[in-house]
Amino acid sequence: DTAVSQTPKYLVTQMGNDKSIKCEQNLGHDTMYWYKQDSKKFLKIMFSYNNKELIINETVPNRFSPKSPDKAHLNLHINSLELGDSAVYFCASSQVLRRPQEAFFGQGTRLTVV
Amino acid sequence: DQQVKQNSPSLSVQEGRISILNCDYTNSMFDYFLWYKKYPAEGPTFLISISSIKDKNEDGRFTVFLNKSAKHLSLHIVPSQPGDSAVYFCAARSPGNQFYFGTGTSLTVIP
């Protein structure tokens, strides 16, 4: 029973394409996140979302958009992919105001744009 | 504008000795601090945390120390074991429930 699962695990695509990465959590958490780990291994937050509020890191291009069909899912859509988008993307979830307060992470999606 | 920093990209320690991983932060509004462990091709997994109102939290071989005045925290692993070899990320949570990560420290425990 994977708590936070992402699909696909690997994604290779050409520049200019539009792609999506799916994320599902079965922990009953109310907040989900997307992180990008770049070539320097820095885990940078892109979005956090609960059923009330979407917080967007101001450095994230608007080609990236999160879509949440329900509380257990937060999918990441990327339009017009660029070479610099190549990275590992991690989904995570947490529960506000309840212990444990840590975020749980998925296994990551390695995106390669060629 | 990296708010959480780990200045040591790597650390090597002999098995049985103490490993000390350090982390600095800039935002005094962070209310919770965490350490994550990451193996290659896997997502980070939670290791230990500490609330900003405490200065120490211990869980088995792992102890996290928080020095709020210095905006510094550290993770002590004693005794270190070869299975502890991984990348360790320091993270801090903002009141808005966003988690900010450092760049990680790669720990190698030498048998």
Side-chain angles (χ1 to χ4, degrees), chain B residues 28-75:
Chain B
S28 58
M29 298 300 292
F30 288 142
D31 61 1
Y32 211 68
F33 301 91
L34 311 94
W35 284 95
Y36 281 80
K37 182 177 178 180
K38 186 180 181 304
Y39 293 114
E42 293 184 12
T45 54
F46 170 74
L47 189 60
I48 191 170
S49 62
I50 187 168
S51 166
S52 61
I53 62 173
K54 295 189 175 180
D55 55 19
K56 178 182 174 182
N57 187 27
E58 192 172 351
D59 183 2
R61 296 185 297 114
F62 302 91
T63 304
V64 56
F65 294 93
L66 175 62
N67 182 335
K68 281 189 72 176
S69 60
K71 294 193 176 69
H72 178 85
L73 67 155
S74 61
L75 174 68

Side-chain angles (χ1 to χ4, degrees), chain A residues 33 35 48 55 96 101 103 106, chain B residues 32 34 36 43 97-99 101:
Chain A
Y33 311 82
Y35 283 83
S48 68
I55 300 175
V96 178
Q101 291 160 328
Chain B
Y32 211 68
L34 311 94
Y36 281 80
N97 207 46
Q98 292 206 327
F99 294 85
F101 283 78

Side-chain angles (χ1 to χ4, degrees), chain A residues 11 13-21 34 36 46-47 54 56-67 75-87 89 111-114:
Chain A
L11 180 57
T13 187
Q14 288 188 320
M15 271 175 50
N17 283 350
D18 302 338
K19 289 293 178 185
S20 295
I21 306 172
W34 277 103
K36 177 181 180 181
M46 301 176 69
F47 306 99
L54 171 66
I56 303 171
N57 184 313
E58 61 189 12
T59 65
V60 175
N62 58 15
R63 297 181 294 104
F64 291 78
S65 58
K67 297 275 194 303
N75 303 325
L76 182 64
H77 296 267
I78 316 170
N79 295 326
S80 304
L81 277 155
E82 300 178 357
L83 293 176
D85 297 333
S86 295
Y89 292 84
L111 170 66
T112 304
V113 182
V114 298

Side-chain angles (χ1 to χ4, degrees), chain A residues 7-65:
Chain A
T7 53
K9 192 169 182 180
Y10 299 97
L11 180 57
V12 181
T13 187
Q14 288 188 320
M15 271 175 50
N17 283 350
D18 302 338
K19 289 293 178 185
S20 295
I21 306 172
K22 295 185 177 180
C23 178
E24 176 181 5
Q25 55 96 3
N26 62 8
L27 297 165
H29 287 168
D30 61 6
T31 305
M32 296 183 73
Y33 311 82
W34 277 103
Y35 283 83
K36 177 181 180 181
Q37 187 177 35
D38 59 23
S39 57
K40 295 182 181 177
K41 308 300 182 187
F42 178 40
L43 266 170
K44 189 170 185 178
I45 188 164
M46 301 176 69
F47 306 99
S48 68
Y49 180 80
N50 63 23
N51 56 8
K52 298 174 185 174
E53 189 178 14
L54 171 66
I55 300 175
I56 303 171
N57 184 313
E58 61 189 12
T59 65
V60 175
N62 58 15
R63 297 181 294 104
F64 291 78
S65 58

